[in-house]
Amino acid sequence: MAATTGVAVTAVFGAAARAVATNKGWLNDPFAEPLVRAAGVDHFVRVVDDDRFAADDAAGPRFLDLCAAHTRFVDEFAAEAGRAGLRQVVILASGLDTRPYRLWWPPGTTVFEIDRPEVLDFKDDALRGLGAALTANRRAVGVGLHQDWPAALRRVGFDATAPTVWIAEQVLIGYLTPGVQDRLLEGVTAMSAAGSRFAADHLPTWTPLQLEAERSFVDGWRRHGLDVDLASLTHPGQYHYVPEYLAARGWAPAQRGVTELLAAMGLRARRRDETEFVPEYLTATRR
């Protein structure tokens, strides 16, 4: 996996966030730290090993906390959907997350993981070496979200007549072009039976303050030797406001704030969280 280009860097960052959160007792992801080490990005290995190193970048620890808070929120969202009887889960751009291995799933649950083939292959090889055991039926779908992922999903047994749990973490925050993001949400809608559930973080727009915060964040990575092309991380353009876009297509969305997510881990939101590039959070149910 090219761990120093674009989305792959964010996948390793997410694993580092889960590793740090696991060490703090906020999550239980025993595979996160080994995956960070297997990816071999020195910056993120040091973040996991050394709290003082992570604190050198003022933004770093905060965004680690935010990623961990949303991961925990989505874990609980998926668990609640399972208790409600949903047995089909699709994780869009699953990256290095390991929910089919680290969470308990009701018997008969199938978890589809969609990501680029090289990301899934890297994760599969690393987890195989760790002797990781599946806790659900897992089906890997090696396809990019800009490609025909609905067709690829159907080919491996996705049942569009069954209510589905959809998870989109760090996807709707500028990583896709506006047109691709719209097509993604339309594809999710077309494949969702009544009672399906959706959880995501999203950025409604990029304000000048948020753009400057993003530049500072990436500059912090560069100071520690991680060469990241800012233009490869996000796309400019006008995005539809995701809750309204889903509501117009038959979903009942509910907003969640950063304060709520952080409070679940005993943390308080800061005033800066409203001006930095902190996503909004939502869940939605298909009517």
Side-chain angles (χ1 to χ4, degrees), residues 226-240:
L226 185 59
D227 185 18
V228 178
D229 177 13
L230 182 63
S232 72
L233 293 178
T234 55
H235 297 276
Q238 293 293 321
Y239 290 84
H240 288 105

Side-chain angles (χ1 to χ4, degrees), residues 78-161:
E80 172 57 31
R83 288 191 291 269
L86 279 71
R87 297 292 184 267
Q88 185 167 253
V89 181
V90 179
I91 304 177
L92 301 162
S94 60
L96 299 185
D97 189 68
T98 57
R99 286 191 173 95
Y101 300 85
R102 66 179 178 83
L103 297 183
W104 176 87
W105 298 95
T109 300
T110 298
V111 179
F112 298 85
E113 288 194 297
I114 298 178
D115 214 315
R116 294 177 300 164
E118 60 268 29
V119 175
L120 295 173
D121 289 346
F122 169 83
K123 183 166 62 175
D124 289 351
D125 289 345
L127 292 174
R128 193 177 301 114
L130 295 171
L134 286 165
T135 56
N137 302 316
R138 173 182 178 261
R139 297 183 185 175
V141 187
V143 63
L145 294 179
H146 63 288
Q147 299 173 306
D148 191 358
W149 59 267
L153 200 54
R154 287 190 291 267
R155 282 196 295 269
V156 295
F158 178 85
D159 181 4
T161 67

Side-chain angles (χ1 to χ4, degrees), residues 36-55:
V36 172
R37 298 189 186 283
V41 182
D42 290 342
H43 175 76
F44 294 122
V45 173
R46 288 195 65 188
V47 165
V48 173
D49 286 343
D50 187 347
D51 287 341
R52 293 185 65 181
F53 174 79

